[in-house]
Amino acid sequence: MGAKKASPDLLNSSFSFKSLKLKTKQQELLLRVSILGLVYVLAFIARLFSVLRYESMIHEFDPYFNYRTTLYLTEKGFYEFWNWFDSESWYPLGRIIGGTLYPGLMVTAALIYWTLRFLRFFVHIREVCVLTAPFFASNTTIVAYFFGKEIWDTGAGLVAAALIAICPGYISRSVAGSYDNEAVAIFALLLTFYLFVKAVKTGSLSWALGSAFGYFYMVSAWGGYVFIINLVPLYVLVLLITGRYSMRLYVAYNCMYILGMLLAMQIRFVGFQHVQSGEHMGAMGVFLLMQVFYFLDWVKYQLNDTKLFQTFLRITVTSAILVGGIALGVGTASGYISPWTGRFYSLLDPTYAKDHIPIIASVSEHQPTAWSSFMFDYHILLFLFPAGLYFCFKRLSDATIFIVMYGLTSLYFAGVMVRLILVATPAVCLISAIAVSATVKNLTSLLRTKQKVPQTGSTKGVGSSKSSSKVTLDQSQPFQKNGAIALLVGVFYLLSRYAIHCTWVTSEAYSSPSIVLAARGAHGNRIIFDDYREAYYWLRQNTPTDAKVMSWWDYGYQITAMGNRTVIVDNNTWNNTHIATVGRAMSSYEDEAYDIMRSLDVNYVLVVFGGVTGYSSDDINKFLWMVRIGGGVYPVIKEPDYLVNGEFRVDKGASPKMLNCLMYKLCYYRFGELVTEYGKPTGYDRARGVEIGNKDIKLEHLEEAYTTSNWIVRIYRVKPPTNRL
Amino acid sequence: MKKNSSVVVDLLLLLLAITVLATPAFSDLVLSKVERRIDVTSQIARVTKTLKVVNSGSESVSEFTLTFPKFLGNNLAYLSVSHSEGKGKAKRSLANLSVKEAHPKGMPDSISFYSVSLPKPLSKGDTLTLEVVAAFTNVLQPFPEKITQRDIHLVMLQESAQYLSPYVVESQSLSIKLPNARIESYSKLENTKVQGSEIKYGPYKNLAQYSYAPIVVHFESKAAFAVAEKLVREIEVSHWGNVQVTEHYNLVHRGAQLKGEFSRLEYQDRPNPQGVSAFRHLLARLPPRAHSIYYRDDIGNISTSQMQSDSKKTELLIEPRFPLFGGWKTFFTIGYGLPLSDFLFASEGKRFLDISFGSPMIDLVTEKLIVQVVLPEGSKDISVTTPFAVKQSHEIKYSHLDIAGRPVVVLEKNNVVPDHNQKIQVLATLQEVQNIIQKCLAAHDKLEASLRDLSRTGDIQTCKAARKSTDSLLKDLSKELRPLLASLQSFPSASQISPKVEELVAKERELQEKLMAKHTTVVEGYEKKSSGRDIENRIASQQQKIIALRQEVDDLLEFIDEI
């Protein structure tokens, strides 16, 4: 915001030349709008690094599913999409797509696509999908501005918009191509919160209605809506406890909750969870509590007798809590209200998933966050955040209480799971913006009063003003002006470091599509490994259209979207048993695995192998999770069988079961004859840095069907059973 | 060996059919010398024949019959016959002759007949040299049909060592050019020689009609058996100086199918890589100054391609995502922009696009080629000229910022080989002729108006000036009209409209003359200061004719508009 102070003067002088004098207020408006406009554009173009570095393509895993469904939606229309039974995934179970997804993202992209078509821009749906995330990130900056304006002032709003536009924590999930639910959900989340805070502040039904619709959009877009439906009641509860109950709050919450709930029930995947699931009960409890509060208020007004009211209060409160408790108990016992899900537990207790649900723990983005990634994603915001909290507490209001609660709770969740850094990012940016804006404002006002004083003294030269200036001078501390300048320079230096850091992180770390891998060659040239697409395209072109492909679930969405083939399991991990079956097949001996594969009608098996290129996130490194998930359902599979002294090895010292299980065989088939690195023996695994233990692998029931040019993806054909003689 | 024996049975049947043949119903032509060269270095078998035809009969002959065994005739992709004059270096081939498939009665089904109409009837004792170029697809049969990755790719060619013809052949020789000297087996007849990678049969003397000596050559081929099952070429002409070509290939390797494993290890083995039967890349020769080239498929950009360009050509080396073994398929799209000025010619008021028909890929066989020429929005009166027969239809395509949509000419042809890469012309014309006539009519109106002015003001001088200017304007317009009409006649496709247009122009000229005459009469009348009624009486007859003519011209204009 360095320009903010300097440019009014600049503008003033240049504009006066043209005798086009704007009033101060108009100047301010002009500045604000142009800054916002620039931030809007900046937020968009910063996210285009991925297109520049690679190409306009869909990233990662889940976005491929979203892309595939969007394609289906635009081709077949909404009703077909809503009633879509997908037989290409979860063979032989299939998946009811319409009932098991959040349609917000796809419908948004399809609407944008149809609008563009209507305006005679015949763009490809892929381009729309690729650019949806940056577009919504830009919109988020606008919401952040209004939110900041609401909780502090316009300055804080502008700073917040600028901070969130380039904050790596947000960029990581919203670069061009990361076509995921979060892309629109963060916008919806912030919009809902902003509208709710506005509703609480004004007590207006229309704002509350807006917030209910914001909530509806959020529910339609992302499962993270649970955060809203828990944070908002929590916030209301805190306001009740701190004695900030008001009619405004009553109107805002009731309208938002009732309408939001009814609207959310229209999403099939959510359905009646708002009244049936334990995760949503808090909101309902607070809703009832609000009614009790209102009732008590009325009774108090009618009674005019404090003593009588006290007893009445005691009776009502105890009976209300009793009735609520009994209802909850009965509901839970009868199974009407479902208990909290594992995902919810794992959020509250970071160690829960590790012990109970390996499938959640196996995902890298569900790991607890390391400090380094906080630093990586927030940079200076990490230090500005506490400062912002200080300012918030200094000027406590309904709005600041909200942002403080949002910031603290989301930061806790961000600590539990890496991916939830995303949810905390808007709060961190807003609170940091308050810190920056308040500091800069204080410092500049300090400088201004100093500068003004000698000016007025010299021009007017009236004794009284002189004396008053002397008084202020005397009152101030020594070197105050220099100190303020130094501090300001420091702030701007920090902010510029932040901008540099964000740009660097965006271009280096967060713009990789992870489908195409890039590496630096020996001469500094860029080498591209396009093996994934090579393999998927081979599947698409050279296998029968009804072929079933078995792979670890990570690649399921990509195989169906790019390979257009039926998969056994995919990234929608709704059936743990099915995944465990695949895990079991991968960790069994070949003949045992063959029986499992026959029973699942598997025609092809796909494994990802990084031993030639040194690509570390391959199936061998994920193998222990397959064992754990498989073992969780089938006790035949025991983790210690694959370990030697608690250590996971693939070389000669590995356990015999490890050396002969299907996964090992498929990854290292004929690898023992290959020289990967000069001066190393044959079969040297570059990803793990060891010579493999079993070089003579014979396959009985499978044969190599295709291996990509860098061996990253290997596909095997399952042979039909031999005739019995 | 099952396949092989069935082939032999085929040949025997053919032989049987031929021996059964009764005396031919064809004329008394004699082929004094036949030279055949078969080039099988690529997947396409290109047969070049030089035939020396002598008329030994008494009547002059204007038709010549070419025959092929049915199994070749079915796979004939391209056939052109030209006649040549002179000898040695002075030899030059003249215009292509028209060829059409013939079905003479009483002939066996196992022979395909093509009748060639000769440039001029061949009278008794005259000789003529014909050059025949034919390209066959799918005649090189992979044998064995399934091979493993380590095997070499062997193919088999069946032909006749003696030239199958309805005429008597006095002397005949055949040479087969193979890709390399590795020959698995070949039929040994008398006078068979092998020189390196070439097999020679003959010369054979004095062969009877329908002589047939089946031969089979079994040899190694390293050529890419790349076949586009379907190729859609979209050629989009833009107002803004660009021709955008987008080509969608459904490619398949039609060689021997891969059986068993694909081993990456062996495929990448340094000293002796296995898997020679696969092809890694294709070469596309794009027109010079091609720009903005891209190469992608359904799931994104393909980064394995190289481009080389100079002033004469642009070469694009395309590598599919995976090597193509026998039976493997892939689909991809290449696109490039071309400068409009190289392909669109705007001479004499009409625009024509002159662009090549087939794929720029070298040695690619296209089973089904669809060319869509997308013209700018609002183009009218589209006609297409192609050197060979194609199926034509029209469509409308909507693109960016379109309201009415762009007219699309769709051309379809099956079994296309690189020999079909000839220019096609798409033109949009006629608009200009109509415009000129309209301008003439406007000039007539001006004349009439000047006359009316005259009767009101009596100012003879202004009226004369108006006449002069209209005169020169009309002369200019008729000058413009002349080349347009000439060019219109030169297009065969415009034959339907051109008489109408000519009639229109003639009528317009007549109208012009009549008007002038009327004008002169009126002006003279005024100069002589004769009374208004007198003038009116004098021009009344002329006026009637003018009105009638005007009506006719309007009708004609409307009629042409409808076309």
Side-chain angles (χ1 to χ4, degrees):
Chain A
M1 290 302 99
K4 212 199 154 212
K5 199 198 101 55
S7 9
D9 306 6
L10 253 176
L11 271 175
N12 232 347
S13 53
S14 63
F15 269 79
S16 59
F17 277 121
K18 296 173 188 170
S19 69
L20 224 168
K21 266 199 172 161
L22 293 167
K23 283 176 195 151
T24 327
K25 239 186 176 169
Q26 288 172 319
Q27 281 177 19
E28 204 255 337
L29 184 72
L30 180 73
L31 258 179
R32 216 178 335 142
V33 170
S34 46
I35 288 174
L36 260 184
L38 285 175
V39 166
Y40 191 88
V41 174
L42 174 75
F44 193 84
I45 55 174
R47 285 162 171 81
L48 296 184
F49 267 115
S50 57
V51 175
L52 284 181
R53 287 280 153 89
Y54 296 90
E55 58 181 274
S56 170
M57 66 185 290
I58 307 288
H59 292 192
E60 307 258 348
F61 303 102
D62 288 15
Y64 271 95
F65 169 75
N66 299 331
Y67 174 59
R68 180 167 159 250
T69 46
T70 313
L71 208 62
Y72 192 89
L73 171 62
T74 50
E75 279 168 6
K76 304 252 170 106
F78 188 74
Y79 283 98
E80 281 283 306
F81 169 72
W82 206 227
N83 299 318
W84 182 16
F85 178 81
D86 178 24
S87 53
E88 278 203 356
S89 55
W90 291 94
Y91 185 85
L93 308 171
R95 178 181 172 189
I96 305 156
I97 298 281
T100 55
L101 57 38
Y102 294 101
L105 179 71
M106 298 91 195
V107 172
T108 307
L111 281 179
I112 295 175
Y113 174 71
W114 285 325
T115 313
L116 287 175
R117 286 244 139 184
F118 178 73
L119 296 173
R120 298 280 179 212
F121 289 102
F122 286 84
V123 291
H124 195 279
I125 181 69
R126 184 187 57 246
E127 316 299 342
V128 176
C129 291
V130 164
L131 295 179
T132 298
F135 174 61
F136 272 88
S138 289
N139 295 342
T140 309
T141 61
I142 302 296
V143 180
Y145 163 73
F146 282 108
F147 205 169
K149 188 180 158 192
E150 204 55 45
I151 53 176
W152 203 256
D153 57 9
T154 49
L158 284 176
V159 179
L163 288 180
I164 203 165
I166 53 169
C167 185
Y170 186 24
I171 282 189
S172 69
R173 299 255 153 196
S174 61
V175 291
S178 84
Y179 178 59
D180 210 347
N181 291 334
E182 289 96 321
V184 296
I186 292 304
F187 166 76
L189 178 91
L190 207 60
L191 185 70
T192 312
F193 282 158
Y194 162 66
L195 292 171
F196 185 70
V197 166
K198 189 92 184 171
V200 171
K201 201 167 181 179
T202 56
S204 138
L205 260 179
S206 55
W207 287 112
L209 191 68
S211 133
F213 275 103
Y215 178 65
F216 172 59
Y217 187 50
M218 176 71 187
V219 174
S220 75
W222 194 36
Y225 77 89
V226 179
F227 180 60
I228 299 185
I229 202 65
N230 283 294
L231 179 65
V232 167
L234 194 68
Y235 164 64
V236 172
L237 198 66
V238 167
L239 286 191
L240 291 185
I241 290 167
T242 50
R244 285 171 172 268
Y245 170 77
S246 65
M247 206 53 208
R248 290 176 285 119
L249 185 66
Y250 183 82
V251 168
Y253 183 70
N254 286 330
C255 175
M256 189 262 177
Y257 177 67
I258 294 294
L259 272 172
M261 179 171 75
L262 289 176
L263 284 170
M265 283 179 183
Q266 311 310 311
I267 307 296
R268 274 212 318 210
F269 191 28
V270 177
F272 289 108
Q273 280 188 25
H274 276 77
V275 288
Q276 285 190 344
S277 133
E279 287 143 31
H280 301 75
M281 280 303 123
M284 185 176 275
V286 170
F287 171 69
L288 294 176
L289 200 65
M290 289 288 275
Q291 312 313 319
V292 174
F293 243 79
Y294 187 73
F295 176 65
L296 286 177
D297 235 26
W298 178 72
V299 171
K300 194 177 175 186
Y301 172 71
Q302 295 287 330
L303 275 178
N304 281 330
D305 183 353
T306 39
K307 221 175 188 181
L308 206 63
F309 178 70
Q310 285 294 331
T311 38
F312 183 76
L313 183 72
R314 213 168 296 139
I315 295 164
T316 345
V317 168
T318 36
S319 56
I321 288 172
L322 221 71
V323 168
I326 289 169
L328 197 69
V330 169
T332 319
S334 64
Y336 182 75
I337 296 171
S338 62
W340 288 359
T341 57
R343 277 169 204 262
F344 201 71
Y345 270 119
S346 62
L347 267 183
L348 299 179
D349 175 10
T351 58
Y352 179 84
K354 216 173 180 181
D355 301 334
H356 296 90
I357 335 169
I359 201 154
I360 290 182
S362 75
V363 183
S364 65
E365 62 183 16
H366 289 168
Q367 304 299 322
T369 317
W371 266 107
S372 57
S373 53
F374 270 121
M375 194 59 209
F376 199 64
D377 280 356
Y378 288 147
H379 200 240
I380 61 161
L381 304 186
L382 214 52
F383 307 106
L384 291 174
F385 181 70
L389 282 183
Y390 164 76
F391 281 108
C392 284
F393 276 114
K394 256 182 90 176
R395 209 175 93 181
L396 221 50
S397 68
D398 288 356
T400 45
I401 289 178
F402 182 83
I403 195 67
V404 166
M405 287 190 57
Y406 174 25
L408 291 178
T409 48
S410 61
L411 211 60
Y412 172 74
F413 293 134
V416 176
M417 265 190 203
V418 179
R419 68 187 292 201
L420 292 181
I421 281 188
L422 177 71
V423 177
T425 303
V428 171
C429 285
L430 279 164
I431 291 174
S432 306
I434 291 172
V436 172
S437 175
T439 314
V440 171
K441 207 168 194 175
N442 288 347
L443 291 174
T444 46
S445 64
L446 214 65
L447 281 182
R448 273 202 183 176
T449 47
K450 287 232 159 181
Q451 280 163 352
K452 261 180 196 166
V453 169
Q455 259 183 15
T456 48
S458 63
T459 46
K460 288 183 180 170
V462 184
S464 62
S465 69
K466 242 182 188 174
S467 62
S468 69
S469 74
K470 260 179 190 168
V471 171
T472 51
L473 268 177
D474 289 341
Q475 280 173 346
S476 62
Q477 290 158 1
F479 307 117
Q480 198 181 24
K481 188 181 166 188
N482 294 343
I485 290 173
L487 278 176
L488 266 181
V489 169
V491 168
F492 291 132
Y493 174 73
L494 276 180
L495 287 175
S496 64
R497 293 304 314 173
Y498 174 73
I500 291 166
H501 171 81
C502 292
T503 320
W504 176 78
V505 166
T506 310
S507 83
E508 292 295 318
Y510 288 146
S511 292
S512 164
S514 91
I515 287 285
V516 182
L517 311 166
R520 295 258 170 237
H523 308 290
N525 52 326
R526 198 150 163 265
I527 305 171
I528 283 190
F529 298 124
D530 205 355
D531 287 41
Y532 279 109
R533 288 196 294 185
E534 183 183 336
Y536 297 146
Y537 209 62
W538 183 85
L539 275 178
R540 190 188 184 114
Q541 296 290 340
N542 294 305
T543 58
T545 43
D546 60 346
K548 284 100 196 166
V549 183
M550 183 174 90
S551 72
W552 191 232
W553 60 267
D554 295 21
Y555 316 108
Y557 277 165
Q558 293 179 348
I559 294 172
T560 38
M562 285 194 270
N564 199 16
R565 291 292 174 267
T566 308
V567 293
I568 306 296
V569 291
D570 67 24
N571 308 46
N572 177 257
T573 52
W574 63 276
N575 189 328
N576 193 34
T577 318
H578 217 48
I579 292 177
T581 311
V582 173
R584 183 183 170 188
M586 292 292 191
S587 40
S588 307
Y589 292 123
E590 193 189 344
D591 42 357
E592 291 164 13
Y594 185 64
D595 291 337
I596 299 173
M597 291 189 293
R598 292 285 307 160
S599 70
L600 287 173
D601 279 354
V602 174
N603 304 106
Y604 291 90
V605 185
L606 181 146
V607 293
V608 171
F609 171 62
V612 177
T613 47
Y615 173 57
S616 62
S617 49
D618 65 351
D619 278 349
I620 290 287
N621 282 357
K622 286 173 186 171
F623 184 59
L624 271 192
W625 288 111
M626 300 181 203
V627 173
R628 273 175 211 153
I629 292 169
V633 176
Y634 303 100
V636 198
I637 307 294
K638 294 182 194 71
E639 192 178 338
D641 289 351
Y642 300 87
L643 302 174
V644 177
N645 300 329
E647 203 185 341
F648 181 67
R649 306 175 64 161
V650 294
D651 58 355
K652 280 205 179 69
S655 69
K657 180 120 200 201
M658 178 71 209
L659 289 179
N660 288 297
C661 70
L662 184 70
M663 178 53 78
Y664 191 93
K665 277 182 147 184
L666 296 187
C667 282
Y668 291 119
Y669 179 65
R670 301 203 74 176
F671 181 69
E673 302 162 46
L674 185 76
V675 181
T676 53
E677 212 166 307
Y678 182 73
K680 290 280 194 306
T682 58
Y684 178 76
D685 184 335
R686 293 176 71 188
R688 282 151 286 273
V690 289
E691 188 185 344
I692 59 165
N694 184 357
K695 287 190 187 176
D696 184 35
I697 294 171
K698 293 270 181 293
L699 289 173
E700 194 186 337
H701 302 291
L702 294 121
E703 60 179 0
E704 187 177 350
Y706 190 71
T707 296
T708 57
S709 47
N710 297 301
W711 293 57
I712 291 180
V713 185
R714 310 196 69 181
I715 301 169
Y716 292 85
R717 195 182 297 117
V718 181
K719 289 187 196 166
T722 46
N723 288 331
R724 257 178 237 154
L725 292 172
Chain B
M1 290 310 282
K2 201 181 166 195
K3 177 78 190 174
N4 210 9
S5 59
S6 77
V7 165
V8 171
V9 169
D10 270 358
L11 293 176
L12 284 175
L13 275 178
L14 183 66
L15 273 179
L16 204 70
I18 291 166
T19 47
V20 162
L21 269 181
T23 40
F26 293 98
S27 48
D28 302 321
L29 291 179
V30 170
L31 301 178
S32 63
K33 197 179 173 194
V34 176
E35 275 174 35
R36 285 193 295 152
R37 291 169 298 279
I38 303 178
D39 182 342
V40 285
T41 48
S42 74
Q43 59 162 329
I44 303 161
R46 281 201 179 79
V47 182
T48 327
K49 299 172 193 170
T50 314
L51 311 171
K52 206 177 247 176
V53 188
V54 181
N55 189 356
S56 62
S58 49
E59 290 163 27
S60 67
V61 178
S62 61
E63 287 223 328
F64 177 78
T65 306
L66 275 173
T67 48
F68 298 102
K70 195 79 179 181
F71 66 87
L72 286 178
N74 285 343
N75 292 313
L76 181 72
Y78 178 77
L79 178 65
S80 97
V81 183
S82 56
H83 72 107
S84 56
E85 280 179 354
K87 271 189 178 174
K89 284 199 175 167
K91 195 168 107 177
R92 60 197 181 93
S93 58
L94 296 171
N96 284 352
L97 306 176
S98 80
V99 184
K100 59 177 186 284
E101 200 169 348
H103 301 280
K105 277 178 189 164
M107 289 295 142
D109 282 343
S110 49
I111 303 176
S112 306
F113 291 87
Y114 292 89
S115 109
V116 182
S117 46
L118 299 177
K120 56 181 184 227
L122 203 62
S123 51
K124 188 187 169 193
D126 276 3
T127 63
L128 177 77
T129 309
L130 291 177
E131 293 271 351
V132 180
V133 177
F136 299 94
T137 57
N138 297 327
V139 294
L140 298 183
Q141 285 176 346
F143 186 81
E145 284 189 314
K146 287 189 177 178
I147 54 171
T148 64
Q149 190 181 343
R150 290 174 205 198
D151 295 337
I152 56 165
H153 191 217
L154 295 170
V155 295
M156 202 164 60
L157 172 75
Q158 303 167 34
E159 246 291 4
S160 164
Q162 299 171 349
Y163 181 52
L164 181 72
S165 169
Y167 310 110
V168 172
V169 180
E170 289 175 347
S171 162
Q172 192 263 164
S173 65
L174 166 71
S175 75
I176 301 173
K177 191 163 184 267
L178 304 177
N180 53 42
R182 186 161 176 177
I183 303 166
E184 197 78 2
S185 71
Y186 62 96
S187 309
K188 290 188 182 76
L189 303 178
E190 54 170 336
N191 281 342
T192 309
K193 268 184 286 177
V194 178
Q195 290 175 338
S197 62
E198 214 166 308
I199 303 179
K200 283 188 174 163
Y201 287 98
Y204 302 111
K205 301 278 181 192
N206 295 326
L207 302 173
Q209 290 148 333
Y210 298 107
S211 302
Y212 195 79
I215 50 166
V216 175
V217 183
H218 194 200
F219 59 95
E220 185 195 2
S221 175
K222 285 181 179 169
F225 276 55
V227 175
E229 289 184 314
K230 187 179 166 192
L231 165 61
V232 180
R233 296 185 82 213
E234 191 187 82
I235 299 163
E236 188 164 351
V237 181
S238 151
H239 285 298
W240 311 102
N242 192 36
V243 181
Q244 182 65 37
V245 184
T246 317
E247 298 171 351
H248 307 278
Y249 289 88
N250 280 84
L251 205 70
V252 66
H253 186 306
R254 276 287 160 81
Q257 298 206 346
L258 179 73
K259 71 174 177 200
E261 286 194 334
F262 162 74
S263 171
R264 175 61 72 173
L265 182 82
E266 284 171 14
Y267 185 71
Q268 282 178 336
D269 197 12
R270 258 320 132 196
N272 45 351
Q274 309 288 340
V276 283
S277 62
F279 65 87
R280 286 172 193 239
H281 34 65
L282 288 166
L283 188 68
R285 285 228 172 87
L286 307 181
R289 302 214 280 150
H291 59 87
S292 329
I293 298 168
Y294 66 85
Y295 170 39
R296 58 169 298 132
D297 57 26
D298 299 333
I299 59 172
N301 179 49
I302 308 169
S303 48
T304 45
S305 62
Q306 286 162 34
M307 200 185 76
Q308 272 187 337
S309 64
D310 54 40
S311 60
K312 290 211 180 103
K313 62 182 184 304
T314 311
E315 281 191 343
L316 183 67
L317 192 71
I318 283 176
E319 199 176 318
R321 285 193 192 273
F322 39 84
L324 281 179
F325 278 91
W328 286 16
K329 291 175 184 173
T330 191
F331 170 84
F332 60 86
T333 301
I334 60 173
Y336 45 93
L338 299 169
L340 190 64
S341 51
D342 292 6
F343 297 91
L344 192 81
F345 302 97
S347 65
E348 299 163 0
K350 60 188 174 299
R351 316 251 189 280
F352 54 122
L353 181 73
D354 195 30
I355 203 153
S356 80
F357 181 68
S359 147
M361 299 273 182
I362 286 175
D363 285 336
L364 179 81
V365 171
T366 312
E367 288 187 341
K368 184 174 186 179
L369 174 64
I370 299 173
V371 179
Q372 300 171 330
V373 184
V374 184
L375 297 167
E377 204 173 12
S379 306
K380 275 182 195 165
D381 309 311
I382 301 148
S383 64
V384 181
T385 324
T386 52
F388 35 80
V390 292
K391 205 171 116 193
Q392 257 191 61
S393 57
H394 289 264
E395 277 175 12
I396 297 283
K397 184 200 170 184
Y398 288 92
S399 185
H400 295 303
L401 300 174
D402 279 358
I403 296 159
R406 307 180 184 196
V408 183
V409 185
V410 185
L411 309 174
E412 264 187 68
K413 183 163 173 54
N414 291 340
N415 215 4
V416 178
V417 289
D419 306 75
H420 285 112
N421 266 5
Q422 299 170 15
K423 299 274 180 171
I424 53 167
Q425 279 96 28
V426 181
L427 68 144
T429 177
L430 259 181
Q431 210 59 22
E432 298 288 315
V433 179
Q434 271 167 296
N435 281 348
I436 290 173
I437 301 286
Q438 295 286 8
K439 271 186 207 162
C440 290
L441 291 182
H444 298 167
D445 287 343
K446 223 188 254 170
L447 263 184
E448 296 268 13
S450 76
L451 279 184
R452 247 173 276 132
D453 279 351
L454 182 69
S455 64
R456 211 174 52 237
T457 58
D459 188 352
I460 298 169
Q461 290 312 316
T462 11
C463 187
K464 277 187 170 168
R467 157 112 195 232
K468 224 178 209 172
S469 71
T470 342
D471 239 6
S472 62
L473 182 70
L474 283 173
K475 259 178 202 151
D476 285 349
L477 284 175
S478 70
K479 242 185 239 164
E480 273 180 50
L481 206 52
R482 223 168 289 139
L484 274 181
L485 286 173
S487 66
L488 194 65
Q489 280 159 354
S490 66
F491 287 107
S493 54
S495 61
Q496 201 191 352
I497 328 167
S498 62
K500 287 280 166 202
V501 176
E502 270 162 41
E503 193 185 341
L504 169 72
V505 174
K507 283 270 152 55
E508 195 277 332
R509 194 152 298 153
E510 205 182 330
L511 175 66
Q512 209 171 304
E513 275 162 20
K514 286 273 167 353
L515 256 178
M516 287 299 172
K518 174 188 164 194
H519 200 266
T520 338
T521 336
V522 174
V523 173
E524 268 173 15
Y526 269 92
E527 272 175 340
K528 286 176 188 159
K529 305 233 160 96
S530 34
S531 68
R533 182 163 296 169
D534 203 23
I535 296 170
E536 252 172 51
N537 283 342
R538 264 200 259 170
I539 61 167
S541 61
Q542 290 174 332
Q543 188 68 32
Q544 270 175 3
K545 268 186 192 161
I546 287 172
I547 290 168
L549 271 174
R550 182 74 193 243
Q551 188 61 42
E552 272 177 56
V553 168
D554 282 344
D555 285 352
L556 271 174
L557 270 177
E558 236 168 67
F559 178 72
I560 287 168
D561 259 346
E562 273 164 24
I563 292 173

